[in-house]
């Protein structure tokens, strides 16, 4: 099973890794990719292989919309503003997540949005935290650094947000995308990996010279109106498990 960097990044680090990855793909009885985009990228390495898409699922018993009362109680517990709009990035503060572009985008959002107050949240940690904080202070936005949080708290944190933003440079299929939608919260992301497959093409922005400008416009537009959010039925561990079981049964049968 291929998840992301093992296809879109590592094989291009050295000729040895490219050849090794190509051999593994070709010798495997089945190759499963977490997004259609990742499977397509693997074609640049080799097309001589059995390939399938196996989407990540989402635990809908944990990631689900909270009631208005539950959200108010959770905001009080975490000291999250009840009068401001809240926008979050949730993930590792690493270069591949492209987080350093966010302070400038968020500054533009505060200037263009009709909301009188917006608080920007960064949930996660990593090597870029210091520089990210410096840039947030430099542009003068209101923000909060959460650091790493226990996995069991993430559904509650998501529910307290008006929007989650993911500006990654590369992805396979990030779980946070389907987890956010399962909580009924909209997400805006970059048009890379399987993000568009999860959140819809209308909610992604191309990584080009106008990325910051176009992402700002999309955030402001989506923030101004409430649109019902749903996560696709294909992002189900039960469905993925059934597909994987059939793949395994067919391959084991051939070995016998």
């Amino acid at each position: 099973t291929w998840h992301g960097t093992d296809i879109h990044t590592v094989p291009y680090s050295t000729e040895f890794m490219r050849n090794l990855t190509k051999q593994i793909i070709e010798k495997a009885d089945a190759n499963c990719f977490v997004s259609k985009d990742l499977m397509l990228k693997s074609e640049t390495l080799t097309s001589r292989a059995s390939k399938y898409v196996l989407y990540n699922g989402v635990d809908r018993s944990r990631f689900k919309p909270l009631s208005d009362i539950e959200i108010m109680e959770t905001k009080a517990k975490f000291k999250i503003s009840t009068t401001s709009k809240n926008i979050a990035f949730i993930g590792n503060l690493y270069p591949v997540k492209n987080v350093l572009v966010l302070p400038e985008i968020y500054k533009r959002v505060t200037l263009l949005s009709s909301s009188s107050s917006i608080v920007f949240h960064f949930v996660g940690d990593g090597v870029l935290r210091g520089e990210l904080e410096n840039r947030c202070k430099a542009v003068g936005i209101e923000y909060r650094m959460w650091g790493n949080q226990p996995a069991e708290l993430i559904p509650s944190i998501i529910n307290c947000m008006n929007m989650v933003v993911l500006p990654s440079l590369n992805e396979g299929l990030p779980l946070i995308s389907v987890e956010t939608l399962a909580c009924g919260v909209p997400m805006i992301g970059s048009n890379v990996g399987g993000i568009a497959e999860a959140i819809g093409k209308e909610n992604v922005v191309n990584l080009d010279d106008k990325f910051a400008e176009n992402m700002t416009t999309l955030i402001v537009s989506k923030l101004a109106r409430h649109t019902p959010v749903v996560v696709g039925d294909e992002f189900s561990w039960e469905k993925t498990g059934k597909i994987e079981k059939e793949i395994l049964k067919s391959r084991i049968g051939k070995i016998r």
Side-chain angles (χ1 to χ4, degrees):
T1 303
W2 305 91
H3 292 270
T5 55
D6 43 15
I7 291 295
H8 62 56
T9 300
V10 173
Y12 305 98
S13 59
T14 65
E15 189 64 25
F16 171 79
M17 288 307 302
R18 181 185 178 91
N19 291 333
L20 180 61
T21 306
K22 179 176 181 291
Q23 289 178 39
I24 293 172
I25 293 173
E26 291 179 346
K27 291 182 179 181
D29 289 291
N31 291 276
C32 300
F33 300 85
V34 296
S35 69
K36 294 175 184 176
D37 180 84
L38 199 62
M39 185 170 72
L40 183 62
K41 281 185 170 63
S42 76
E43 289 291 295
T44 64
L45 298 169
T46 180
S47 58
R48 297 171 54 193
S50 296
K51 300 181 180 182
Y52 306 87
V53 175
L54 275 184
Y55 282 124
N56 288 322
V58 58
D59 184 350
R60 295 169 193 255
S61 67
R62 295 178 56 235
F63 293 92
K64 58 186 178 182
L66 298 180
S67 68
D68 291 342
I69 293 176
E70 289 173 321
I71 290 175
M72 290 297 290
E73 290 174 346
T74 306
K75 284 185 174 181
K77 175 182 176 181
F78 291 129
K79 295 181 173 58
I80 297 172
S81 174
T82 58
T83 57
S84 301
K85 295 287 188 180
N86 294 283
I87 298 178
F89 166 86
I90 303 174
N92 295 318
L93 305 182
Y94 293 158
V96 71
K97 297 298 184 180
N98 201 24
V99 291
L100 294 183
V101 75
L102 289 177
E104 184 57 40
I105 289 175
Y106 288 163
K107 179 63 175 180
R108 296 184 185 192
V109 169
T110 58
L111 294 174
L112 296 176
S113 175
S114 59
S115 300
S116 58
S117 176
I118 306 177
V119 181
F120 302 98
H121 303 257
F122 297 91
V123 184
D125 214 335
V127 295
L128 295 179
R129 177 168 178 164
E131 186 173 355
L132 181 61
E133 284 202 74
N134 289 337
R135 293 194 182 194
C136 288
K137 292 174 183 176
V139 298
I141 59 173
E142 187 175 353
Y143 71 95
R144 176 177 174 181
M145 290 285 178
W146 288 68
N148 289 327
Q149 295 296 312
E152 60 268 21
L153 294 184
I154 299 302
S156 296
I157 293 172
I158 293 174
N159 266 277
C160 292
M161 299 298 143
N162 296 95
M163 181 182 294
V164 174
V165 177
L166 185 63
S168 302
L169 298 175
N170 259 321
E171 287 287 357
L173 192 140
L175 275 175
I176 190 62
S177 60
V178 290
E179 290 169 348
T180 297
L181 266 58
C183 289
V185 175
M187 172 178 270
I188 302 297
S190 51
N191 190 18
V192 297
I195 296 178
E197 295 170 48
I199 70 175
K201 292 183 178 179
E202 69 279 9
N203 296 312
V204 296
V205 178
N206 291 331
L207 282 169
D208 55 25
D209 293 341
K210 292 188 175 182
F211 177 71
E213 177 184 341
N214 291 337
M215 178 158 273
T216 299
T217 301
L218 190 56
I219 291 173
V220 171
S221 172
K222 296 286 184 178
L223 204 59
R225 62 182 190 274
H226 177 73
T227 304
V229 174
V230 294
V231 61
D233 292 337
E234 63 270 33
F235 302 103
S236 159
W237 286 124
E238 182 179 359
K239 186 172 183 177
T240 292
K242 288 179 179 179
I243 295 171
E244 186 168 10
K245 180 181 178 181
E246 291 306 311
I247 293 171
L248 290 171
K249 284 173 63 178
S250 68
R251 296 305 165 185
I252 291 171
K254 288 184 178 181
I255 294 172
R256 288 177 179 172

